[in-house]
Structure formats: C-alpha cells, structure tokens
Amino acid sequence: MAFSADELRVLRRALAVALHPAPLQDEDVQDALRLAESVDEAVREAGRLRAFLLDDLVRYREALPGSLSGYLELLREALAAGYDPAADDLAALRALRRDPAAGALLARCQLLAERSVRARLGRVTQVTATPVTGVSRPRLLALPGGRAAGDEPKPTPPTPAERPVPKPSEVFPPRRRPVPPPPPEERVAS
C-alpha cells in the first residue's frame, strides 16, 4: 500500500498525537477519519482482488494442461501475494513437472507448503531433536495445557457407594436358540 504526501502528513500527525496526547483541531480529526476510510477501502479492495485471483487460479487449474502458462503465471502472482499452495496445486504441478517452469514452481511450492505446515505445527507442539543411533528424531515434549512428562495420571480408587459398570454379557444374557419342533411322525405318535 502506498500513501500520498498528504496522507503521510496526516498519518505522522496521528502518530504524534498517539505518542504525546494533545487536543486535536477539527480539521485534523476529519483528515484522520478520511485516511482511515481510505485505508479500510484499500484493505477491502485487496481482499476482493485476492478472492478474484484465487478463483481465477482454480479455474486455470481445472483447465490444465491446456492452460499451463496462464496457471503458472497466476500461481506465481498468488505466491507473491502470500498464498500458501494447496494440495490441489501441488498435485497439478507434480502432474506437469516435465515442463521446466512447472518443475521449478513445484520445488518452490513444496518448500512453502512445508514451511506453512511446520509453522502451524510449531504453534501446537514443542519439538526437540534426540539422537538415536546417529539419527536425530523429533520428540514431543508437551502440548500447551497438557501434563508435563513426569505427571502420570493416578487411578482414582472407586468409592464404596459406587457400583462397577456391568459387562454387556451381564446386562444382556446370551440368547437361547429356539428348539426346532419335532418331526411330524413323532407328533402323531404321542
């Protein structure tokens, strides 16, 4: 996002007031409000542009291999705008890796996807490397909000008032198979 000289002047005044509170003139307040509206509009426009770019990327990906050059160009633009490549993008690039440009972009996308996954996992777990016969292997130490490694849960003894939960075979006894009726000859003889 680029600011004009006037917008930078307004921004500088607003920052100065934020650091050293002082009463503002009405004109300064109006300038700050106009600047805030301009920034909000630029953010909304960037969101619309990103959505349009991603929709276009999906259309080009679905039309592969005929749209290879357009797809690669749109994917480069999306990556430059901070897009994390999706599994569909990686699959499409793998299918097209014979093309040198697609192969190079596949390597870049795999790296970005791996970084993205590691960043998401890094927020969940703490991982350290533990040497195992010369090979380092990540080991889960703790989860946020979880127990420490030495805190093993202790079983709680049942209180005398509690009855144990019955087994299904105790609640539902096995079914008895019905006895087949005797053959007709035996019925008549009796």
Side-chain angles (χ1 to χ4, degrees):
M1 183 180 308
F3 291 105
S4 71
D6 287 335
E7 290 171 332
L8 284 175
R9 180 183 48 78
V10 170
L11 186 60
R12 193 174 307 126
R13 276 188 300 187
L15 289 173
V17 169
L19 292 173
H20 305 287
L24 286 173
Q25 297 177 5
D26 289 342
E27 182 182 325
D28 291 339
V29 171
Q30 294 302 319
D31 288 344
L33 289 175
R34 277 193 295 274
L35 178 62
E37 288 173 11
S38 296
V39 169
D40 289 344
E41 179 58 31
V43 168
R44 284 191 297 272
E45 182 62 27
R48 286 191 294 270
L49 186 61
R50 179 178 170 86
F52 176 77
L53 176 66
L54 295 180
D55 288 344
D56 235 8
L57 185 65
V58 169
R59 282 191 292 276
Y60 273 78
R61 185 176 55 230
E62 289 171 353
L64 285 171
S67 62
L68 178 64
S69 62
Y71 172 70
L72 295 178
E73 182 180 333
L74 282 173
L75 184 57
R76 281 189 200 100
E77 284 180 36
L79 294 174
Y83 172 69
D84 284 332
D88 290 341
D89 296 312
L90 295 172
L93 289 171
R94 281 187 195 106
L96 301 166
R97 69 177 135 210
R98 286 189 211 128
D99 182 85
L105 200 52
L106 173 63
R108 181 176 172 201
C109 286
Q110 285 175 327
L111 181 66
L112 290 172
E114 184 178 321
R115 284 183 187 164
S116 175
V117 168
R118 286 180 188 262
R120 282 181 277 163
L121 288 176
R123 289 182 230 135
V124 176
T125 60
Q126 292 179 354
V127 178
T128 62
T130 306
V132 179
T133 63
V135 178
S136 65
R137 180 180 101 204
R139 185 171 66 102
L140 179 66
L141 290 180
L143 294 174
R147 293 190 297 266
D151 296 343
E152 293 299 322
K154 295 180 177 97
T156 55
T159 58
E162 290 181 16
R163 294 187 318 165
V165 177
K167 297 177 190 171
S169 62
E170 296 171 339
V171 176
F172 305 104
R175 287 188 175 176
R176 306 261 184 240
R177 291 194 176 147
V179 178
E185 302 90 33
E186 291 180 14
R187 278 191 268 168
V188 176
S190 52

